[in-house]
């Protein structure tokens, strides 16, 4: 089952009360589960000196979550000014942030370089001249093109907008050196929600081999390689769990060989979002309408404004109906739908679920990453509150729901009429 049984054990007994206290809908995150995943990651990579995870802020940009990540020693992967601001508010300084933007503006570079700075990860060779100044340490995002395959969410490398090509990459470092760069990193991000460790081990191998090649021809050493995020989680009950320990062992073998050959190794970095928080969040919503036409529909009190993944990626999110989870329950096949005037506003399509009545609580699993954060306001729909289930069993509001005033805030402006 995707959402961990421990999280269910912590949440389900009190969920009815929590829902009564805060009202539905809400996303709720499991502090204990996030800590356990953080510990597991640190333990898997404990033999790598200087290993560091930079949490991908876009997955769950909430200050309470960022503080939790910071307390575990993790840094932050940012690609926008608001993400930089949030990370710095959580205490992040220079080395704690990697700025992996693309199609970047001057304003964004200035924000990334100022206020204590960050590790700049350039997405293109043309960005070298667009940087206000070349920092001492520079990193490039590598795109191997047709040499590697990708996956559904992120697309094939050869068709993706990201990164520097095989033909360009050496010159990118050469040019940066000429402008004063002295410390170097190499980054890539090729897959999303990938459950195969082999693919990610190959990515490590690709980066180590490339760094060796560039080191030789330019006479530089790489301080770090960053294998990106993209480690997957089991959204479907039959999906395998990602074997993190075998991933670490596979990369360790590569590092041992690299050490023997070169007498040093670059630090290993990664920037997982989904793996860190995905399974540790759920969207809790109340069934409010039942409709029987050509299909049966269960209408709930939230919509795709709170969780876009099903509509955007046709993603599967497991659903529990609270109090109706034993196997003997009669089921019926339904579509679970929101209220948006969009027919793809569905959390489940033709899913067998226990017989649902108005007032039942539905728990939509694995919304802890790219869930609330991806939300939007189309159709005047407002995003729900976020709660944190603390390790001590208390539940804390960590973001209130949006209000109509929030929604109309951008309509409050000085008149500005221009006639050419
Ligand atoms: C989105 C993103 C990540 C995180 O991806 P996950 O699938 O959540 O691990 C990491 N790095 C970059 C550059 C990204 O754009």
């Amino acid at each position: 089952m995707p959402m961990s049984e421990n999280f269910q054990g912590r949440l389900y007994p009190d969920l009815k009360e929590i829902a009564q206290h805060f009202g539905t809908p809400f996303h709720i995150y499991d502090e204990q589960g996030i800590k356990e995943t953080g510990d597991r990651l640190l333990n898997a990579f404990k033999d790598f000196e200087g290993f560091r995870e930079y949490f991908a802020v876009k997955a769950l940009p909430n200050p309470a979550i960022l503080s939790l990540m910071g307390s575990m020693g993790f840094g932050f992967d940012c690609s926008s000014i608001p993400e930089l601001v949030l990370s710095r508010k959580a205490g992040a300084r220079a080395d704690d942030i990697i700025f992996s933007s693309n199609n970047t503006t001057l304003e964004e570079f200035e924000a990334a370089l100022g206020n204590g700075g960050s590790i700049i990860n350039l997405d293109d060779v043309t960005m070298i001249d667009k940087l206000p100044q070349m920092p001492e340490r520079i990193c490039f995002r590598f795109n191997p093109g047709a040499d590697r395959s990708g996956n559904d969410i992120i697309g094939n490398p050869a068709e993706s907008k990201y990164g520097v090509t095989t033909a360009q990459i050496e010159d990118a470092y050469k040019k940066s050196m000429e402008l004063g760069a002295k410390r170097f990193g190499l980054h890539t991000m090729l897959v999303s929600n990938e459950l195969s460790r082999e693919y990610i081990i190959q990515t490590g191998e690709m980066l180590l081999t490339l760094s060796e090649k560039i080191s030789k021809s330019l006479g530089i050493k790489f301080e770090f390689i960053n294998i990106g995020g993209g480690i997957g989680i089991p959204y479907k009950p039959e999906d395998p769990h990602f074997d993190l320990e075998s991933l670490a062992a596979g990369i360790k073998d590569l590092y041992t060989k690299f050490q023997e050959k070169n007498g040093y190794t670059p630090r290993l970095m990664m920037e997982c979002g989904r793996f860190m928080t995905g399974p540790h969040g759920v969207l809790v919503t109340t069934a409010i309408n039942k409709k029987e036409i050509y299909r049966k529909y269960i209408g709930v009190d939230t919509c795709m404004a709170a969780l876009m993944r099903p509509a955007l990626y046709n993603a599967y999110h497991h659903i529990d109906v609270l109090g109706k989870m034993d196997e003997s329950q009669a089921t019926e096949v339904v579509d679970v739908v929101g209220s948006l005037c969009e027919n793809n506003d569905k959390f489940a399509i033709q899913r067998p679920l226990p017989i649902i009545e108005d007032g039942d609580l539905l728990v939509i699993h694995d919304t802890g990453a790219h869930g609330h954060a991806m939300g939007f306001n189309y159709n005047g729909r407002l995003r729900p509150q976020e709660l944190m289930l603390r390790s001590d069993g208390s539940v804390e509001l960590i973001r209130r729901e949006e209000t109509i005033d929030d929604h109309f805030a951008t309509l409050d402006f000085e008149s500005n009429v221009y006639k050419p």
Side-chain angles (χ1 to χ4, degrees):
M1 197 59 48
M3 169 196 186
S4 81
E5 283 180 9
N6 291 339
F7 184 15
Q8 294 184 25
R10 284 189 282 274
L11 181 67
Y12 286 3
D14 300 326
L15 186 53
K16 210 170 162 191
E17 253 179 75
I18 297 168
Q20 268 160 8
H21 180 83
F22 290 97
T24 61
F26 53 81
H27 288 270
I28 183 165
Y29 310 117
D30 179 27
E31 179 178 42
Q32 189 63 32
I34 295 171
K35 280 186 181 162
E36 282 166 12
T37 294
D39 286 345
R40 183 174 166 213
L41 187 75
L42 291 171
N43 193 46
F45 288 92
K46 67 178 183 308
D47 294 338
F48 291 77
E49 209 187 311
F51 166 80
R52 202 162 185 206
E53 149 77 1
Y54 287 73
F55 177 65
V57 173
K58 76 168 189 278
L60 186 45
N62 187 294
I65 297 292
L66 298 196
S67 312
L68 187 53
M69 294 298 166
S71 74
M72 294 189 286
F74 300 142
F76 304 100
D77 168 41
C78 301
S79 63
S80 69
I81 294 177
E83 289 180 356
L84 283 168
V85 170
L86 263 186
S87 301
R88 286 175 179 144
K89 275 198 175 149
R93 292 293 168 268
D95 281 0
D96 307 324
I97 299 173
I98 181 160
F99 191 65
S100 289
S101 59
N102 69 91
N103 188 18
T104 313
T105 62
L106 179 61
E107 192 192 2
E108 287 168 332
F109 278 137
E110 281 169 346
L113 287 163
N115 288 305
S118 61
I119 304 169
I120 303 286
N121 183 21
L122 293 184
D123 184 68
D124 191 38
V125 282
T126 61
M127 292 291 147
I128 297 172
D129 293 325
K130 294 193 169 165
L131 268 176
Q133 79 266 356
M134 176 57 65
E136 192 195 46
R137 172 181 45 197
I138 197 76
C139 180
F140 285 93
R141 179 174 184 158
F142 174 55
N143 179 337
D147 291 345
R148 297 291 299 280
S149 59
N151 71 9
D152 282 352
I153 296 183
I154 209 163
N156 255 327
E159 293 165 4
S160 103
K161 67 172 177 166
Y162 305 112
V164 176
T165 69
T166 310
Q168 297 167 330
I169 191 107
E170 196 171 304
D171 271 351
Y173 288 98
K174 188 154 175 268
K175 199 163 174 206
S176 304
M177 285 169 74
E178 286 161 10
L179 291 169
K182 294 191 171 56
R183 300 165 61 192
F184 305 94
L186 177 60
H187 167 268
T188 200
M189 167 82 190
L190 299 180
V191 281
S192 186
N193 196 31
E194 179 60 58
L195 289 170
S196 150
R197 66 175 182 279
E198 274 313 314
Y199 188 96
I200 299 177
I201 294 171
Q202 282 164 23
T203 296
E205 184 165 26
M206 173 190 83
L207 290 183
L208 285 174
T209 307
L210 181 62
S211 81
E212 243 172 351
K213 187 164 161 277
I214 301 169
S215 293
K216 255 193 204 123
S217 61
L218 298 181
I220 58 174
K221 267 189 189 173
F222 279 84
E223 193 172 299
F224 68 84
I225 61 163
N226 182 338
I227 57 175
I231 293 181
I233 59 167
Y235 284 99
K236 292 185 180 155
E238 67 271 22
D239 283 344
H241 281 264
F242 188 88
D243 189 346
L244 193 68
E245 290 69 25
S246 299
L247 170 71
I251 299 179
K252 188 69 198 169
D253 286 345
L254 301 171
Y255 262 63
T256 307
K257 285 187 200 123
F258 190 98
Q259 173 73 36
E260 282 164 7
K261 229 166 122 191
N262 301 288
Y264 80 102
T265 49
R267 285 192 301 120
L268 181 68
M269 284 169 40
M270 61 169 62
E271 49 191 36
C272 287
R274 188 186 321 270
F275 187 79
M276 300 306 298
T277 56
H280 308 304
V282 292
L283 174 59
V284 178
T285 181
T286 305
I288 54 169
N289 290 297
K290 190 163 187 174
K291 174 170 181 175
E292 300 193 15
I293 47 170
Y294 306 105
R295 282 183 181 180
K296 285 183 181 162
Y297 294 92
I298 301 296
V300 293
D301 66 353
T302 188
C303 68
M304 66 192 278
L307 179 69
M308 275 190 83
R309 298 190 70 260
L312 192 60
Y313 308 120
N314 198 19
Y316 178 96
H317 283 261
H318 201 70
I319 296 178
D320 281 337
V321 183
L322 195 73
K324 297 188 173 174
M325 287 163 55
D326 59 280
E327 304 279 310
S328 62
Q329 286 279 335
T331 61
E332 60 184 347
V333 173
V334 296
D335 284 10
V336 177
V337 302
S339 44
L340 224 90
C341 299
E342 264 291 342
N343 193 43
N344 60 355
D345 181 19
K346 296 183 177 184
F347 294 110
I349 297 173
Q350 294 297 281
R351 177 101 44 103
L353 286 174
I355 313 286
I356 296 170
E357 312 294 340
D358 285 3
D360 278 346
L361 285 177
L362 272 63
V363 180
I364 303 176
H365 288 205
D366 306 312
T367 67
H370 313 296
H372 186 282
M374 250 190 206
F376 64 108
N377 292 128
Y378 184 53
N379 220 180
R381 294 296 165 184
L382 305 174
R383 276 174 287 184
Q385 55 196 334
E386 292 180 290
L387 311 178
M388 179 93 96
L389 174 60
R390 292 291 182 190
S391 303
D392 68 1
S394 60
V395 179
E396 183 183 340
L397 181 72
I398 58 170
R399 186 192 303 271
R400 65 163 172 78
E401 65 190 326
E402 285 176 340
T403 63
I404 290 190
D405 285 344
D406 294 335
H407 189 55
F408 291 147
T410 48
L411 294 178
D412 180 14
F413 56 87
E414 303 271 300
S415 163
N416 183 352
V417 180
Y418 175 71
K419 189 161 189 247

